[in-house]
Amino acid sequence: MSGYSSLLKTSGVARIIAAQLVARFPFGMLSLAFLLHVEQVTGSYGAAGLVLAAASVGQAAAGPLTSRWMGVWGMRRVLVLTLVVCVVTVTAIALVDMPVPGYMALALVSGLATPPIQPAVRTIYPKMVNSKQLTPLFSLDASAQEIIWVLGPVITTFISTQVGTDWGILTAALIMVFGGAWFISSPEVSRVRIPRSRRKIGQVLKRPPVLLATVVGFLLIGACAALEAGVVATFGHEGLDAGIVLGIFSLGSLAGGLALGHIPIGPWALARRMFIVFTGIAVSIFFSDALLLSITLFVAGIGIAPALAVLFAIVSASVKFSDTAEAYGWVGTGQLIGAALGSAAAGLLIDQNGAVGAFWAAAAFAFLGFLVPLLGKRWHPDLRGRDASPIPDTEPIQVHSV
């Protein structure tokens, strides 16, 4: 823990972590808020899953593109534009009654306009700390972001059940405005300039570690999305049980990230962490009691933040600085496609088989998430004793003869 303490004393680190956490906090609320709101309006978890899928597909499509735009137009311009559009469309979902296709259309636009805060801050980090501090910083960030998933579901469930599902969404929109403005106004956002990439969009996926991180992120978040829907279906939205269980799930991730963040990243790191996630989810299939589910999901959560930290580190160590934002955009796209498919699969299985169907889907995603890095070990960089900073960009230098 002393290592994290010294890291937070580095100039600007604590502030930028806090700002990006608040800016991203609404996205720990919106999935559940959309699920509760659309299910209440339509009476169907399947319909709610389709709306969540539309939002996730929009985010997935925009991720690499808006991340790449930051290297062309600058971070601040891209962040302001996307923030405004996202807030407007999210607010419309809360305030306007419409059929399911209408909700899906607005959710798609809100997803397309999701501010690329995560790629931005992942690109900023290597410019704020030295090479030895970078991997612990990724771990601290992955752990700290679990605050979003601990408090987000609880706050959303409380507001949606006690005040109204529309206010669950509107609260997220208000936090989005405040957090987005705070992050955008941070000095690092204007100080760090992403060089324009010389590669065609998508070329960065040819690097095996980036592709590995994208696929495993897709499966990990797919498992989490299916699990979230399953917990909500198990307890309904009349009380706080669903939010509390999901909060404890994320608390396990926070604990795991802080406990395992100092461990050097070897070639088996990702498979080991994903096995923890799979084991906890697989056992949870057999329980519907809030206490027992909280215990099994806490165990599953222990592997999540450490797995995410590994994804961030192997991407950073494998690409040039000019490609980092796009690489993280693709990783985010993989995660969002996973969220879309996980939510949609869980919604359909809940309608057909009850809440346990979502847990089946989550376990299947998590098992594949363990199997892929196990079989793809040779693509996993060994970062033990290595610098996880991005590869420096080089360019020809003109030499004038005298």
Side-chain angles (χ1 to χ4, degrees):
M1 297 300 290
S2 61
Y4 293 130
S5 177
S6 62
L7 185 61
L8 290 173
K9 292 178 182 178
T10 303
S11 178
V13 169
R15 174 174 41 76
I16 200 71
I17 288 178
Q20 63 95 14
L21 281 178
V22 177
R24 292 167 54 202
F25 193 89
F27 302 100
M29 302 174 64
L30 282 174
S31 293
L32 186 55
F34 285 168
L35 183 72
L36 294 172
H37 185 67
V38 177
E39 191 279 330
Q40 184 178 73
V41 172
T42 65
S44 169
Y45 280 104
L50 289 174
V51 173
L52 289 181
S56 297
V57 167
Q59 290 175 315
L65 186 60
T66 55
S67 298
R68 195 176 176 93
W69 283 351
M70 291 191 292
V72 179
W73 299 331
M75 289 188 192
R76 187 162 284 166
R77 290 180 181 177
V78 174
L79 289 168
V80 169
L81 174 63
T82 52
L83 177 66
V84 170
V85 176
C86 191
V87 169
V88 171
T89 50
V90 165
T91 302
I93 291 174
L95 298 180
V96 182
D97 289 335
M98 63 189 80
V100 173
Y103 283 122
M104 290 179 66
L106 281 179
L108 178 65
V109 175
S110 71
L112 288 168
T114 299
I117 293 167
Q118 182 167 303
V121 76
R122 301 277 186 271
T123 303
I124 288 171
Y125 282 156
K127 298 299 183 181
M128 298 185 67
V129 298
N130 61 47
S131 59
K132 293 182 180 180
Q133 292 177 307
L134 187 56
T135 297
L137 178 55
F138 282 137
S139 181
L140 178 61
D141 179 88
S143 302
Q145 77 177 5
E146 292 307 317
I147 296 172
I148 298 171
W149 311 109
V150 171
L151 297 180
V154 176
I155 293 172
T156 300
T157 304
F158 178 79
I159 294 174
S160 297
T161 56
Q162 304 302 315
V163 183
T165 55
D166 52 348
W167 275 103
I169 298 175
L170 290 173
T171 302
L174 290 172
I175 297 174
M176 193 186 304
V177 172
F178 172 75
W182 185 14
F183 180 75
I184 291 169
S185 64
S186 298
E188 291 79 9
V189 172
S190 58
R191 188 181 303 149
V192 176
R193 185 184 179 281
I194 303 173
R196 185 191 293 262
S197 177
R198 297 193 178 105
R199 297 172 179 267
K200 293 181 179 179
I201 190 168
Q203 290 292 309
V204 71
L205 285 173
K206 291 183 177 181
R207 291 190 174 272
V210 177
L211 184 59
L212 178 66
T214 301
V215 173
V216 175
F218 156 75
L219 295 167
L220 173 60
I221 302 304
C224 293
L227 192 64
E228 181 177 283
V231 171
V232 172
T234 298
F235 299 105
H237 50 74
E238 300 302 323
L240 295 176
D241 285 351
I244 292 172
V245 170
L246 290 172
I248 291 173
F249 174 51
S250 296
L251 194 62
S253 180
L254 175 61
L258 293 176
L260 303 178
H262 67 284
I263 298 177
I265 296 174
W268 294 106
L270 195 51
R272 287 171 178 165
R273 287 155 174 78
M274 287 303 303
F275 183 73
I276 296 173
V277 178
F278 165 67
T279 301
I281 293 176
V283 174
S284 71
I285 292 174
F286 302 100
F287 301 106
S288 59
D289 175 75
L291 176 60
L292 294 175
L293 264 183
S294 296
I295 294 172
T296 57
L297 295 186
F298 181 88
V299 172
I302 288 174
I304 293 177
L308 290 171
V310 172
L311 297 183
F312 302 150
I314 65 174
V315 169
S316 176
S318 304
V319 299
K320 291 185 176 181
F321 180 67
S322 58
D323 292 323
T324 51
E326 185 188 341
Y328 287 124
W330 282 111
V331 173
T333 288
Q335 294 175 5
L336 292 163
I337 293 174
L341 294 182
S343 296
L348 293 173
L349 288 173
I350 289 170
D351 285 344
Q352 294 176 5
N353 303 286
V356 71
F359 287 88
W360 296 342
F365 273 96
F367 178 71
L368 291 174
F370 157 69
L371 198 60
V372 168
L374 182 69
L375 299 178
K377 169 182 167 289
R378 63 191 179 92
W379 292 347
H380 191 302
D382 187 349
L383 299 183
R384 291 173 295 186
R386 275 189 54 193
D387 183 358
S389 299
I391 302 168
D393 285 275
T394 57
E395 59 184 16
I397 299 175
Q398 283 190 330
V399 178
H400 298 278
S401 57
V402 177

